[in-house]
Each structure stands twice: as C-alpha cells, then as structure tokens.
Amino acid sequence: MKYGLVMEGGAMRGLFTAGVTDILLENNINFDGACGVSAGAAFGCNYKSRQAGRVIRYNTENAHNWHYRSYRSLLLTGDLYGADFCYRKLPEELDIFDTDTFEQNPMEFYAVSTDVESGKAHYQALKDGKRKDCEWIRASASMPLASRIVKIDGHKYLDGGISDSIPLKFMQSQGYERNVVILTQPLGYVKKPYKIMPIIRASLHKYPKMIEAIEKRHYMYNAQTAYVAEQEKLGTVLVIRPPEALGIGPLERDTEQMRRVYSLGRDAGVQALASIRDFLDK
C-alpha cells in the first residue's frame, strides 16, 4: 500500500503546513509520495529535502526584504514574490536548498500548476530540486494578477490552485490509497466567487479557458473539501486543518504573526502524531 501527503496552498497560510511538516520530519514520519499546490509546493518541497525549520527561517529573515515579497516587486518585476530572488538567489545562495537530499529521497513529489491555455491542471514530478524544478514550483505558486505567466517547455502556467486546489483525487489515481491531507482553512470553510473577476478577465482576456477555470474555482474547491470529508469518514484520509481561520494575509510582514501561524501548525502536528502513526501502520 502506498501512503501519500497532500498539501493545499494559501500563500502565507502555508506556514501552518510548514509547522505540521516540520513536526512530521522531526518525528521521522515518512510517505511514499507527496503533492503540493502553490505554497503547498513552495514550502512542502522542504519535506523531500528534509530541511525542517527552513521555511519559517527564510520567511522571517526576509520579511522586510522587498525583493522577496512586496508591491514594489510586483510593480518593478511583475511578480509579487520576486522570481529571481525566491527561486534562484534564495535557494542557491542565501538559504541553500538541499538538492542532493531532495534527489536521493525516494519519495515522489508532485507540484500542481494550471495550463493557462487549457485551464487544466498539470502535475509535474520533481526530480532534483534544481533550477527547472524551481520553475515548476514558481508556476504552481504564481497567482493571477500577482505574477507573470511562467513559460516552461513551450507551455504557459499559473497557480495550481485554480484547477486543483486539493489534489487528493490525483494522488489516489497514482495509487496512493491512504493519504494525509493538510488544509489551510478550518472545517466548514466555504469558498466564494472572486469579486475581482472583471479585472481578471481583462488581464487574461487572451486565455478564455483560464478565465473559465477561475470563474468556477469556488465550485471546484467546495466540491473538493466535501470529497475530502467523505474520504475522511471512510477512513482512507486523515485530515489536519487549523482550528479556526488563520488570519494571515499574503503580504504579512509581522514576524510574530508568521511564527504564530507556524506554531499553530506545529501544535496541530503534535496533536495528530499518534493518529498519523496509527493511520500509516494500518
């Protein structure tokens, strides 16, 4: 039986996921495969490289660095999260990503992005954690309006959360029969339609399939949370979610707020440890 880990996105809400996964790493909890969306990919890749503590460290250390995340970066580069800083300088020079461990770890790792021209999800297996893998992670985390379209191998990509926010069905289709799912919204959360659709339509007017996917995202997301709950009742899924709304925005610069959300994730991870061990032993 194959065991999987599914990680939702959510920008800085992903610090909750980082707290959970650090607890799992520190307690030597292993999976056969993992799939991350947006922040779930950008932060979750550190699970495969086995670098507990790296996510909260580089987020707090760069909280006030405009090259990392700022409206200034958006205006000057077209990316709210600076592409060159986040996906080259940071992992290669400042807080080095352990590509050797990532490559040698037998756990499969998928990053989800959305093909802009088809509006469909693309699931990319990451192999070595180097420059091209970082581009796939960037594509997964590139939010419409807040990022440039990412071009890879002749195709165009944006945020994976648009087409598959919680890729549980994908993992099941890959043979992962039992999955731990980390969500960044509390139980009962219902996603609503985007209020800024007119701006999105204008920005992506060349890509009608992408616009359609964004317009329908709340339906997709709410159906996915219902499916997760259904699978949870059947016992094929163990869900870790925050007890209440995390209350952190995508541009949060307050390091105490970052540590608060990360600590909530660690607390949730500790509370779930016994259940996870039991779940993976069955």
Side-chain angles (χ1 to χ4, degrees), residues 39-201:
F43 295 169
C45 62
N46 292 275
Y47 197 89
K48 183 172 167 65
S49 67
R50 304 195 66 80
Q51 289 177 278
R54 181 172 179 266
V55 172
I56 188 61
R57 180 175 64 245
Y58 74 67
N59 272 283
T60 53
E61 288 182 354
N62 292 285
H64 299 284
N65 186 337
W66 74 266
H67 295 282
Y68 178 53
R69 178 185 63 249
S70 68
Y71 286 121
R72 182 179 177 185
S73 174
L74 179 62
L75 289 171
L76 293 179
T77 71
D79 293 299
L80 185 67
Y81 286 76
D84 183 67
F85 185 88
C86 293
Y87 300 101
R88 185 195 62 79
K89 189 169 185 176
L90 181 62
E92 294 180 7
E93 300 174 16
L94 302 180
D95 198 323
I96 295 175
F97 186 66
D98 189 346
T99 55
D100 288 340
T101 298
F102 186 94
E103 185 173 13
Q104 292 163 15
N105 187 338
M107 181 183 79
E108 294 182 313
F109 192 95
Y110 298 91
V112 186
S113 55
T114 301
D115 186 301
V116 172
E117 294 178 319
S118 70
K120 302 293 185 182
H122 176 87
Y123 307 91
Q124 184 66 34
L126 306 186
K127 299 298 185 182
D128 58 17
K130 295 179 183 177
R131 188 70 62 85
K132 191 168 185 180
D133 278 0
C134 284
E135 280 297 281
W136 283 113
I137 292 172
R138 179 165 80 93
S140 181
S142 290
M143 300 173 286
L145 301 183
S147 309
R148 292 170 293 165
I149 290 173
V150 180
K151 299 177 182 179
I152 306 175
D153 296 337
H155 294 273
K156 302 174 182 179
Y157 301 96
L158 282 173
D159 185 7
I162 297 299
S163 53
D164 194 350
S165 298
I166 309 169
L168 173 58
K169 286 186 178 181
F170 167 75
M171 289 295 280
Q172 291 173 330
S173 76
Q174 299 303 300
Y176 292 92
E177 299 174 64
R178 296 176 71 80
N179 292 276
V180 172
V181 178
I182 305 176
L183 302 179
T184 60
Q185 296 285 12
L187 182 66
Y189 172 78
V190 176
K191 184 173 284 295
K192 297 179 181 178
Y194 285 107
K195 295 180 179 180
I196 57 172
M197 276 310 304
I199 301 173
I200 292 174
R201 289 191 194 98

Side-chain angles (χ1 to χ4, degrees), residues 211-254:
I211 292 172
E212 182 181 357
I214 296 171
E215 288 177 327
K216 295 180 177 179
R217 187 191 178 188
H218 61 293
Y219 294 120
M220 176 271 294
Y221 183 88
N222 295 333
Q224 287 189 326
T225 56
Y227 181 73
V228 168
E230 172 191 308
Q231 294 295 299
E232 188 177 19
K233 289 180 181 178
L234 292 174
T236 65
V237 163
L238 187 149
V239 183
I240 302 172
R241 52 171 69 85
E244 58 188 15
L246 292 170
I248 189 168
L251 277 175
E252 183 62 67
R253 292 184 175 181
D254 186 336

Side-chain angles (χ1 to χ4, degrees), residues 261-272:
V261 172
Y262 174 74
S263 294
L264 286 171
R266 289 187 65 89
D267 291 344
V270 169
Q271 293 170 16

